[in-house]
């Protein structure tokens, strides 16, 4: 199993602050995905990064795939309460499914 | 489009009972998977399927069975429920093996007493 380690595990910030969460592995991934999960719901795909060094932006969210394709980061600028949720990274596992990290639980307070 | 539909949303079972968690998708996705999510453990793969008639085991398959008779449906069967199977179960589908277009259902919260 290709392990994905996410940090920090928990993050509590105030509205307007910036933050970065990390997803690291000792294995090379052909792609990595980021999901956001809200309480009582399933994860929702935010982005897929495929190329080493790739940067993708989704409004105030910036995703980066490491040059060696072993790590990824998610940066949120000027966080808002609506950004609250569990952020999960995932990469393809052997056998045509995904391996997930344990997630970063983000709380943004007004 | 409904996407991925899971039923029931909540279920309480007694130890030793069996049940089937239903999952259906209307996106014509070939790849479907079942995960369980437990506090502090993240999402762990139970079983997956790469097409009708083809299934395989994931990380935590013991105590669960699956079948895939159609592209749309991928039910998960608990053979003899145990308290350790108390969890939230998610079904997901995607259109390729890399998980692109991965869509999750809203989950089934199962409690085994």
């Amino acid at each position: 199993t290709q392990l994905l380690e996410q940090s920090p595990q928990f993050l509590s910030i105030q509205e307007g602050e910036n933050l970065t969460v990390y997803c690291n592995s000792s294995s090379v991934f052909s792609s990595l995905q980021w999901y956001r999960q809200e309480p009582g719901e399933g994860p929702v795909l935010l982005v897929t990064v495929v190329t080493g060094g790739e940067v993708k932006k989704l409004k105030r969210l910036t995703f980066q795939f490491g040059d060696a394709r072993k790590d990824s980061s998610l940066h949120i600028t000027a966080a808002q309460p609506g950004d609250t949720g569990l952020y999960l990274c995932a990469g393809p596992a052997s056998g045509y499914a995904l391996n997930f990290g344990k997630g970063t639980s983000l709380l943004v307070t007004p | 489009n409904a996407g991925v539909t899971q039923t029931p949303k909540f279920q309480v079972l007694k130890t030793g009972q069996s049940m089937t968690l239903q999952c259906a998708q209307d996106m014509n996705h070939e790849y479907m998977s079942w995960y369980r999510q437990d506090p502090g453990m993240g999402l762990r793969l139970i079983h997956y399927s790469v097409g009708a008639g083809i299934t395989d085991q994931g990380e935590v398959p013991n105590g669960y069975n699956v079948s895939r008779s159609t592209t749309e449906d991928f039910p998960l069967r608990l053979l003899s429920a145990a308290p350790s199977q108390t969890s939230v179960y998610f079904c997901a589908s995607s259109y390729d093996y890399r998980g692109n277009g991965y869509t999750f259902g809203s989950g089934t919260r199962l409690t085994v007493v």
Side-chain angles (χ1 to χ4, degrees), chain B residues 27-31 93-103:
Chain B
M27 298 170 285
N28 203 33
H29 285 173
E30 289 295 328
Y31 298 89
S93 72
S94 68
Y95 59 76
D96 74 8
Y97 75 94
R98 290 185 177 183
N100 288 317
Y102 227 71
T103 303

Side-chain angles (χ1 to χ4, degrees), chain A residues 1-19:
Chain A
T1 300
Q2 298 171 294
L3 294 177
L4 287 164
E5 296 188 0
Q6 291 190 243
S7 62
Q9 190 175 0
F10 300 100
L11 194 54
S12 180
I13 62 172
Q14 291 194 318
E15 184 176 2
E17 293 184 17
N18 301 331
L19 67 117

